[in-house]
Amino acid sequence: MDAIQISKLTKYYGKARGIMDLDLTVKAGEFFGFIGPNGAGKSTTIRTMLGLIRPTSGQVQIFGTDIRTDRETIMSRVGYLPSEAVFYHGMKVRDILKLSADLRKKDCKRDAEQLCERLQLDVSRKVEELSFGNRKKVGIVCALQHSPELLILDEPTSGLDPLMQREFFSILRERNQEGTTIFLSSHVLSEIQRNCSRAAIIREGRLIACGSVEELSRTSAKRVSIHGSVNLDGITGIRDRMETEEGVSFLYSGDINCLVRLLAQGDVKDLSVAEPDLEEIFLHYYEDGGEKA
């Protein structure tokens, strides 16, 4: 079964672009990444998926059910973490967690305690006393404590220190192994590369690529790093060139034989040729326009 099925989803804010003609399917049990910089349309997509804003056109189905016709049932099966969680002032953390559980008509006390312990969250403090990172932890516990079948996470790690980020992703991987579908929206490419099996890239409100993380990482370009000196004038296919006192590195998509002949004429002390990482692939899609896969 598909956990998420989006068809021709479009949202305009007046004449301003939100998202346009999005087609996307996430299968049940996937750990799916949704990649794009700020302003690309990630949050608009998620809020429209959840029925928090109405689409201009198009359709969203969660577990085969239209979000517009049975939102209450769908939301009982979903955990959602917005990019900025806002809570009622004056409430203690434990009260917020209980309110969230009561809204879902579930007893989540045991799961909430375990999550708070792992995330080092003090439930006795008032929400206005918390740092941004600790407020994010409250949002994480609210999203996870009722053991949802689908987790939709919008920029979840902002504000978390590296140790908490590591623990957070450990929790997500455990949930995914238990069968939870995870939809992770992020502009941190390393998060997607380490944790997701498939991903989609959104640019200016449109999907420009979708496939396995391995497929998205596949490109004809290579990252070439040279220790020494070489004259690269006149050779085509070089991008993202970075020079240091020790040498130069660049992405190369030209004829490898031309590069080898050129290097033979220089003073090369060491050389490495490697696959570019997903960050470089992501920039490639943005700089060159990319193609929708």
Side-chain angles (χ1 to χ4, degrees):
M1 177 188 286
D2 295 331
I4 301 170
Q5 190 169 49
I6 298 173
S7 178
K8 303 298 179 187
L9 191 63
T10 298
K11 175 64 181 178
Y12 279 95
Y13 298 99
K15 294 183 178 179
R17 180 270 303 164
I19 52 176
M20 293 173 285
D21 291 326
L22 260 61
D23 290 313
L24 184 63
T25 299
V26 178
K27 295 191 178 302
E30 277 199 283
F31 201 136
F32 191 90
F34 195 48
I35 316 170
N38 294 329
K42 300 190 303 298
S43 293
T44 295
T45 302
I46 287 173
R47 289 169 187 160
T48 309
M49 282 167 51
L50 293 170
L52 298 174
I53 55 178
R54 293 182 64 84
T56 304
S57 60
Q59 186 181 47
V60 178
Q61 289 189 332
I62 306 293
F63 296 118
T65 303
D66 193 315
I67 188 69
R68 292 172 295 185
T69 60
D70 201 1
R71 183 170 179 268
E72 185 175 343
T73 300
I74 289 172
M75 292 308 295
S76 69
R77 304 171 68 183
V78 174
Y80 168 51
L81 177 66
S83 55
E84 292 188 21
V86 179
F87 305 103
Y88 294 116
H89 277 220
M91 293 184 70
K92 292 183 177 180
V93 171
R94 65 165 62 93
D95 299 323
I96 292 170
L97 300 183
K98 185 177 185 303
L99 173 62
S100 179
D102 289 346
L103 289 171
R104 299 179 185 278
K105 301 175 182 177
K106 293 189 72 173
D107 181 0
C108 305
K109 187 175 181 181
R110 190 181 69 170
D111 283 344
E113 287 176 353
Q114 292 174 349
L115 288 165
C116 289
E117 183 178 350
R118 292 183 67 172
L119 294 171
Q120 299 176 19
L121 179 61
D122 184 352
V123 299
S124 66
R125 297 186 65 185
K126 289 187 177 181
V127 66
E128 59 265 31
E129 299 171 353
L130 301 179
S131 65
F132 176 70
N134 279 318
R135 289 199 304 274
K136 182 59 70 77
K137 292 179 189 179
V138 177
I140 290 170
V141 177
C142 286
L144 271 67
Q145 66 176 349
H146 61 290
S147 300
E149 298 169 61
L150 170 63
L151 271 171
I152 298 177
L153 309 168
D154 192 359
E155 304 284 357
T157 58
S158 58
L160 298 181
D161 65 47
L163 288 176
M164 283 299 102
Q165 289 183 26
R166 184 185 305 172
E167 185 63 27
F168 171 65
F169 278 111
S170 293
I171 294 169
L172 291 189
R173 285 190 293 270
E174 290 167 15
R175 293 294 180 98
N176 184 239
Q177 288 168 6
E178 293 167 0
T180 303
T181 306
I182 298 174
F183 185 90
L184 173 67
S185 169
S186 180
H187 64 265
V188 182
L189 277 297
S190 59
E191 292 181 354
I192 304 297
Q193 198 164 26
R194 285 195 300 264
N195 298 286
C196 299
S197 54
R198 284 203 312 136
I201 299 175
I202 187 170
R203 176 191 188 190
E204 296 179 356
R206 294 184 183 273
L207 285 186
I208 60 173
C210 182
S212 72
V213 170
E214 183 180 352
E215 287 170 348
L216 294 177
S217 300
R218 206 175 287 146
T219 174
S220 59
K222 306 293 182 185
R223 167 59 64 182
V224 179
S225 299
I226 299 167
H227 183 67
S229 61
V230 62
N231 183 2
L232 297 172
D233 294 342
I235 191 170
T236 59
I238 289 179
R239 292 186 294 111
D240 194 27
R241 180 170 170 172
M242 295 178 289
E243 297 195 25
T244 66
E245 292 181 1
E246 290 78 24
V248 61
S249 72
F250 50 88
L251 283 176
Y252 184 67
S253 56
D255 186 336
I256 195 69
N257 292 302
C258 293
L259 180 63
V260 170
R261 285 193 291 269
L262 193 68
L263 294 178
Q265 299 172 18
D267 179 21
V268 179
K269 296 179 174 62
D270 196 9
L271 170 70
S272 70
V273 180
E275 296 292 334
D277 62 25
L278 194 58
E279 183 85 35
E280 292 170 323
I281 302 303
F282 178 71
L283 293 174
H284 164 74
Y285 275 110
Y286 269 73
E287 290 169 357
D288 296 351
E291 291 185 5
K292 188 175 177 181

